[in-house]
Amino acid sequence: MGIQHGIRINLAQFSLHVLQVFFVGSTIGMTRTVLPVLAESDFGLAKGSFLALASFVVVFGLVKALLNLFAGRLSDQWGRRRVLIAGWVAALPIPFLILYAPSWGWIIAATVLLGVNQGLCWSMALNSKLDLARADQRGLVNGLNEFSGYAGVALAGLLTAWLALEFGAREGLFAFGMVTVLLALALGLWGVRETRPWAMAHQLAHQQASKGAHAQAVAPSSLATLFWPATWHDPRLRALHQAGLVEKFTDAMVWLFFPVFFVSQGLSLIEAGGLVAIYGVVWGAGQLVTGPLSDRIGRKGLIVWGMTLCGVGVMAVGLSHSPVLWALESALIGIGMAMLYPTLGAAVADLAQPAQRASVLGIYRFWRDLGYAVGGLALGLAAQWSGGLSAPFWLVDGAMLLLGGYVVLAFDTGSKPKLNA
C-alpha cells in the first residue's frame, strides 16, 4: 500500500507522536511549580530577586526559539525522527544538573538543555503529525498536539509538587525527569518512523492540483530565503508571529509568578500547583474542541477572543483574594489559551506550501517562543523595579489586549481559510 494521508489510516504512528509530545510537555512541566517556589530555599536564589528568577525562562525562550527556527529546516534535510532523537539525547543531563545543582547557575544550564529538547522534540512531534494527516485536519492535529503537550505540562507540575514535598525538590525532580526522558527516548528509537515521505506526498499533490498532473515535487526554499518574507512581507503572517510572541507573556506569567503569588497568599505548594494545573488542563483539553472548530469557522475570531480572555483572566487573578476565584480565573485563562494557541499554528500552516511548511512553522515557533525571553525579561524587570508582583499582572493584560486588537486589523480572514492540499 502506498503513502496515504489521514489520522485514522496512520493511527498507530500518529498516536506515538501524540505520546511523544506528552513526554515533551511533562519534561517542561516538572519545572513549572517547584522551581519558582523553591528557588530561594533549595537552589540558592536571593529573596526578592525577581529578575534572577525570570532568568531561567528568558534563557529557555532564547534557546527554544533558535532551535525552533532551525529544527524545521534540519528535519527537511535530515528527517523528523533523527531530530526528535537528538532532542531527547540533549535532555538526558537535565535531571542530574537539577539533582546536584550547587547554585542557580546550574538550573540555568539545565534550562539551556531544556530549551534544546523542547525546540527539537515538540517541533518534530507536531510536524510528523501534520505530515501524516490530511490538509483539512490541521486544526484537529494542532488541537490534539497541544492537548497532549499541555496535559503533560499540567500533570507534571502537580505530580512534581507532591514529589518535592514527599521526597525533596531535587530527588523528586530527578526521579520524574529520568523516567520521562528515558521512556521518550526509547519510544523514539524503537517506535517512531520517519514521516518525511508523507510531507513530500503532500507537496506533490499540491503541485499537481495547481499546475497539472505532470508537475514534480519542489525542494524546500532555504531558511534565509523564507525568513524575512514569512516574518514581515505577508501581513497575515506578521500578525500571527506577533500574536504568538505576546501570548507567551501569559504563559511566562503563569510559569514564573503564579506559583510564587499563590504561595505568598498563604496557599501550600500543592494547592498552588493545583491552581496552575487547572490552567494547563483546561488549556490542553479545550484544544480538542477549539482545534477542529477553527477548521470549521475560521481562525481569526478564536485568536482575538482568546487573547482577550487571557488578558482579562490574568488581571483578575492579580485583583482577587479567593482560592475559588483563582480557580475560576485560571480556567478562564486556560480557555483563552485553548482558543488562540492551536489556531495560531493552524493559521500559519494554512499559509505555507507543504514543502516549506516545516520551515515556515519553525519561523513562527521562533517568534512565538521568543516571547518567553521577551516576556520573561519584561515581567522580571517590572517585578524588580516595582518591588512586587502587581506590575507584571498589568503588563500581561495590556499586551494581550493590544495584540488582540492588532490581529483584528491585520489578519483579515473573515471566511474559512483556503487549505493547501
Side-chain angles (χ1 to χ4, degrees):
M1 182 182 293
I3 290 175
Q4 294 179 283
H5 295 106
I7 294 174
R8 180 171 296 179
I9 199 167
N10 295 295
L11 186 59
Q13 279 296 306
F14 191 91
S15 298
L16 288 177
H17 287 289
V18 171
L19 187 56
Q20 275 286 316
V21 84
F22 176 83
F23 286 133
V24 180
S26 297
T27 305
I28 189 174
M30 71 180 188
T31 70
R32 287 270 171 151
T33 303
V34 176
L35 286 183
V37 173
L38 301 183
E40 177 189 350
S41 61
D42 286 74
F43 297 102
L45 198 63
K47 185 175 182 178
S49 300
F50 296 116
L51 189 56
L53 174 62
S55 62
F56 83 102
V57 173
V58 173
V59 169
F60 171 82
L62 287 171
V63 174
K64 188 182 178 190
L66 289 171
L67 266 293
N68 282 338
L69 182 61
F70 294 105
R73 184 60 179 166
L74 288 173
S75 73
D76 286 336
Q77 295 177 325
W78 299 348
R80 284 36 166 162
R81 181 175 175 272
R82 289 182 180 178
V83 177
L84 177 76
I85 292 171
W88 285 118
V89 171
L92 285 171
I94 294 173
F96 294 96
L97 288 170
I98 294 174
L99 180 64
Y100 296 111
S103 68
W104 190 247
W106 281 47
I107 302 300
I108 300 299
T111 304
V112 171
L113 296 177
L114 181 65
V116 174
N117 167 258
Q118 298 286 304
L120 296 181
C121 294
W122 197 302
S123 296
M124 291 309 99
L126 174 58
N127 285 328
S128 294
K129 289 192 288 291
L130 287 170
D131 293 342
L132 295 168
R134 298 193 310 268
D136 62 352
Q137 295 175 322
R138 287 185 195 134
L140 175 59
V141 168
N142 277 273
L144 288 169
N145 186 77
E146 304 306 321
F147 161 72
S148 180
Y150 283 93
V153 170
L155 294 175
L158 188 57
L159 179 57
T160 53
W162 176 78
L163 290 171
L165 291 178
E166 288 292 320
F167 305 105
R170 297 171 186 271
E171 293 78 5
L173 290 175
F174 175 80
F176 183 88
M178 285 305 301
V179 170
T180 300
V181 172
L182 290 175
L183 281 175
L185 180 58
L187 184 68
L189 287 169
W190 293 296
V192 167
R193 291 177 57 191
E194 176 57 53
T195 62
R196 182 85 174 116
W198 277 260
M200 290 297 94
H202 269 304
Q203 177 62 25
L204 182 58
H206 175 72
Q207 293 293 106
Q208 289 174 340
S210 60
K211 296 182 180 179
H214 299 291
Q216 298 296 315
V218 298
S221 301
S222 69
L223 183 60
T225 301
L226 284 174
F227 184 82
W228 187 245
T231 296
W232 191 257
H233 288 177
D234 188 318
R236 297 168 296 176
L237 284 174
R238 183 168 67 239
L240 293 172
H241 292 146
Q242 293 182 28
L245 185 146
V246 168
E247 61 86 8
K248 285 300 182 190
F249 284 30
T250 296
D251 200 41
M253 182 71 191
V254 174
W255 186 356
L256 276 172
F257 293 134
F258 271 28
V260 177
F261 173 76
F262 291 141
V263 170
S264 74
Q265 299 297 307
L267 299 187
S268 70
L269 183 61
I270 292 180
E271 288 170 335
L275 290 174
V276 173
I278 290 172
Y279 155 81
V281 169
V282 172
W283 176 2
Q287 290 172 108
L288 294 175
V289 177
T290 58
L293 181 62
S294 75
D295 290 331
R296 291 176 170 268
I297 69 172
R299 318 296 191 198
K300 186 177 72 170
L302 289 169
I303 294 170
V304 172
W305 282 106
M307 301 285 285
T308 302
L309 290 181
C310 285
V312 171
V314 168
M315 194 64 255
V317 169
L319 297 175
S320 301
H321 303 283
S322 163
V324 174
L325 288 177
W326 288 329
L328 293 173
E329 290 151 1
S330 294
L332 181 66
I333 301 168
I335 292 170
M337 291 296 282
M339 293 172 70
L340 69 90
Y341 203 77
T343 313
L344 284 167
V348 172
D350 292 341
L351 300 173
Q353 291 194 23
Q356 301 171 345
R357 187 187 301 128
S359 294
V360 173
L361 281 171
I363 293 167
Y364 161 70
R365 289 167 64 83
F366 165 79
W367 288 113
R368 187 196 67 190
D369 288 324
L370 190 63
Y372 277 125
V374 176
L377 181 60
L379 294 173
L381 287 171
Q384 195 73 40
W385 287 343
S386 66
L389 297 180
S390 60
F393 282 100
W394 286 105
L395 176 61
V396 173
D397 177 56
M400 295 298 286
L401 295 180
L402 180 64
L403 261 293
Y406 176 62
V407 171
V408 172
L409 297 175
F411 186 53
D412 186 10
T413 55
S415 61
K416 180 180 175 181
K418 181 179 179 181
L419 300 174
N420 290 330

